[in-house]
């Protein structure tokens, strides 16, 4: 009983640590290799505010999309032919005057939700990816507390029972001596 409580508590703590590490490891790995592209300005040319805005939007959009052939990096960070093609498509969409949502939706329709680096909350899969670790982090300590409280209460009841038995034995032995 004490051993099973200890094993259960250890398992719950391990599950929390694992869920926390899993939840943040992918994001941290992806952030580790960021290499943003600078605005295309040559020494004799000054970029207009419109060009700078489009370059900023380009970088933000390319950062949101996953490289189709790489693991854990964005289209912006990748130099593969597939990523280069996606970057070219982003530039075309920007030149056509499409907004960010239209551009992202075009890539989701073409490649599916997996092209997005951050899961889409609008579908069940994305909600599960973000929701389960968060739920474990909030519900786990509650379960751990209930388990430990029950274990302590059980230990206290056992100790009280043992004390009662000892007192009864002591009183019985005193009666026998008198």
């Amino acid at each position: 009983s004490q051993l099973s409580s200890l094993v259960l508590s250890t398992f719950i703590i391990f599950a929390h640590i694992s869920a926390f590490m899993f939840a943040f490891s992918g994001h941290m790995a992806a952030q580790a290799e960021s290499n943003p592209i600078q605005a295309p300005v040559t020494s004799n040319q000054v970029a207009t505010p419109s060009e700078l805005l489009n370059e900023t939007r380009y970088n933000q959009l390319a950062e949101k999309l996953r490289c189709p052939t790489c693991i854990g990096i964005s289209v912006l960070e990748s130099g593969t032919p597939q990523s280069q093609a996606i970057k070219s498509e982003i530039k075309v969409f920007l030149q056509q005057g499409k907004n960010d949502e239209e551009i992202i939706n075009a890539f989701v329709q073409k490649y599916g939700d997996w092209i997005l680096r951050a899961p889409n909350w609008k579908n069940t899969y994305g909600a599960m990816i973000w929701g389960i670790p968060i739920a474990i982090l909030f519900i786990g300590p509650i379960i751990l507390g209930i388990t430990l409280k029950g274990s302590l209460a059980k230990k206290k009841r056992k100790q009280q029972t043992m004390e009662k038995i000892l007192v009864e034995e002591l009183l019985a032995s005193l009666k026998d001596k008198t």
Side-chain angles (χ1 to χ4, degrees), residues 66-78:
R66 180 184 321 273
C67 171
T69 56
C70 305
I71 297 175
I73 64 172
S74 70
V75 167
L76 182 64
E77 301 163 323
S78 175

Side-chain angles (χ1 to χ4, degrees), residues 143-171:
I143 293 171
L144 182 62
I146 291 169
T147 304
L148 289 176
K149 185 177 177 182
S151 175
L152 291 174
K154 187 175 181 181
K155 185 176 180 180
K156 187 175 180 180
R157 282 192 307 270
K158 186 176 181 181
Q159 184 178 3
Q160 288 173 344
T161 304
M162 292 298 290
E163 288 174 357
K164 187 177 179 182
I165 291 171
L166 287 174
V167 169
E168 289 173 358
E169 287 178 2
L170 182 60
L171 289 174

Side-chain angles (χ1 to χ4, degrees), residues 2 14-15 29 52 57 72 89 95 115 121 137 148 156-157:
Q2 283 186 355
F14 178 74
L52 290 175
R57 284 182 62 208
E89 285 184 71
Q95 290 169 353
I115 194 76
W121 280 95
L137 289 172
L148 289 176
K156 187 175 180 180
R157 282 192 307 270

Side-chain angles (χ1 to χ4, degrees), residues 12-27 119 121 124-143:
I12 291 172
I13 291 169
F14 178 74
H16 278 85
I17 292 170
S18 298
F20 181 78
M21 290 172 50
F22 176 75
F24 295 103
S25 64
H27 177 71
W121 280 95
T124 306
Y125 181 69
M128 284 177 31
I129 287 175
W130 287 101
I132 290 173
I134 291 170
I136 289 172
L137 289 172
F138 284 111
I139 294 171
I142 294 169
I143 293 171

